[in-house]
Amino acid sequence: MTTDADDDTAAAGPEGSSSDDGSTPSSPAETDDSSADATADPSADATADSGSAEDDGSRAGEGASSETARTETANAATDDRYTRKQCVLITGCSSGIGEATARAFLEENWQVVATARDTDDITDLEEAGCHALELDVTEPTQVARAVERTVEIGGAIDCLVNNAGYAQLGPTEDISTGELQRQFDVNVYGPHRLTRAALPHMRAQGDGRIINLSSVLGRISIAGTGPYSGSKHALEAMSDALRSEVDEFGIDVVVVEPGPVKSAFSDRCDAEVPNDRTPAYESLYEVFEDTQLIGGDGPLASDPEDVAAAIVHAGTCPEPPARYPVGPVAEYGLYARYLPDWLRDAGYRFVRKLV
């Protein structure tokens, strides 16, 4: 299982300064001579007072100048925040929601860093004005490089959109532990890696926004979606904790929860259904074949542009809500959380009989 390379890196604090205990104090003779000279020659005392006043005035002037410089620097940084283009890093831009989101931010005049595992998949976005970067969210080195490059391009990382992900579907018994680990490596550990890399920059800026792409299945779980729903439940729980942890630094954390979406994501879902199937779950596999649990072309499915619009609003509005459900299935499906468990289970049995 891939592990974070930066976990082994310990951050060293600034070294403390120590006083020089070996310095030589003034001798009593020198002190006595100085006192005697001041007593014998009053003019010397006046001269010394004049010199001291000049030194104090000079130090005061230097202090005021230094304070003015710091104020001007702070003001320049504040002005820069409002005059430069804001910059967003988006993962998983090869198609669907990620591609639509990159184009939507471009339309809002943002600098967009669009990423994909294969940059050949995002050449159209690069031609449209995006900065294209290779990024596999399971590779810590690529994650660190992408964040640092984003800061170089934009002067800051104003928004991080954790969109990359996929759905591992199938009965829990038919999902190997390795497949489950891979699901969490992409959908949970990937956003965690990006968030850890981006947060130090956002804290230093005193501003930033992290948007995590979840799903309606991040709030409810149905048969055959255990690995995917589990990963999105985990992402939502981490987002809730993170939102409280970074609020004091001026950083917002938002979760976007689409229902079914018309995109190539559903094709990937079909490809992730296990080949080695337990015959006892044949009826469940028939449900997968006859319905689209995650994405599809049904009348209730949303367009990728609908989700992208929610993401852009979450990244640009002054006070974003903690969650954005997108589409009728997400908006109304969330109420299923409040149904008794036995009623939800009965609903699944009903659907299975229809299929």
Side-chain angles (χ1 to χ4, degrees), residues 215-216 257-261 293-295 300-302 307 325-331:
S215 164
V216 63
E257 302 169 323
V261 178
L293 298 177
I294 309 297
L300 298 180
S302 301
V307 185
V326 181
V329 174
E331 292 173 0

Side-chain angles (χ1 to χ4, degrees), residues 67-261:
E67 182 64 29
T68 300
R70 283 195 297 270
T71 301
E72 290 175 351
T73 301
N75 289 339
T78 301
D79 291 342
D80 178 66
R81 181 182 300 176
Y82 295 104
T83 57
R84 67 173 175 80
K85 281 188 176 183
Q86 290 186 293
C87 188
V88 58
L89 170 62
I90 309 170
T91 66
C93 294
S94 59
S95 64
I97 295 172
E99 180 182 3
T101 300
R103 295 185 184 279
F105 270 107
L106 279 179
E107 291 175 1
E108 293 294 322
N109 202 34
W110 280 54
Q111 291 201 78
V112 178
V113 180
T115 70
R117 288 183 298 172
D118 187 348
T119 53
D120 289 342
D121 295 335
I122 52 177
T123 52
D124 288 347
L125 290 177
E126 189 171 22
E127 292 172 358
C130 294
H131 300 272
L133 293 181
E134 178 185 0
L135 175 59
D136 182 336
V137 299
T138 68
E139 294 293 336
T141 302
Q142 290 188 20
V143 167
R145 187 186 305 125
V147 171
E148 294 304 319
R149 182 67 182 129
T150 300
V151 174
E152 291 175 5
I153 290 170
I157 177 167
D158 300 286
C159 185
L160 167 65
V161 179
N162 285 312
N163 168 69
Y166 75 100
Q168 175 67 63
L169 302 179
T172 302
E173 185 178 352
D174 287 354
I175 304 298
S176 70
T177 301
E179 289 170 329
L180 183 62
Q181 289 175 330
R182 185 166 63 97
Q183 177 77 107
F184 273 70
D185 199 13
V186 175
N187 290 10
V188 181
Y189 309 148
H192 177 250
R193 293 183 183 101
L194 268 298
T195 297
R196 290 190 66 206
L199 276 177
H201 295 285
M202 291 183 174
R203 269 203 318 275
Q205 298 161 195
D207 182 67
R209 200 158 291 185
I210 297 172
I211 301 173
N212 290 328
L213 262 292
S214 181
S215 164
V216 63
L217 293 176
R219 305 288 293 277
I220 58 174
S221 184
I222 57 179
T225 68
Y228 180 71
S229 295
S231 69
K232 294 303 184 182
H233 273 69
L235 182 62
E236 296 223 5
M238 291 175 61
S239 299
D240 286 340
L242 180 65
R243 187 172 60 254
S244 298
E245 293 164 359
V246 300
D247 178 67
E248 63 177 302
F249 307 123
I251 302 170
D252 296 307
V253 179
V254 183
V255 174
V256 176
E257 302 169 323
V261 178

Side-chain angles (χ1 to χ4, degrees), residues 24-68:
T24 305
S26 299
S27 65
E30 290 174 344
T31 303
D32 291 342
D33 289 344
S34 175
S35 175
D37 289 344
T39 304
D41 188 357
S43 63
D45 187 41
T47 303
D49 288 345
S50 174
S52 176
E54 290 175 359
D55 290 343
D56 289 345
S58 176
R59 284 193 296 270
E62 290 174 359
S65 176
S66 177
E67 182 64 29
T68 300

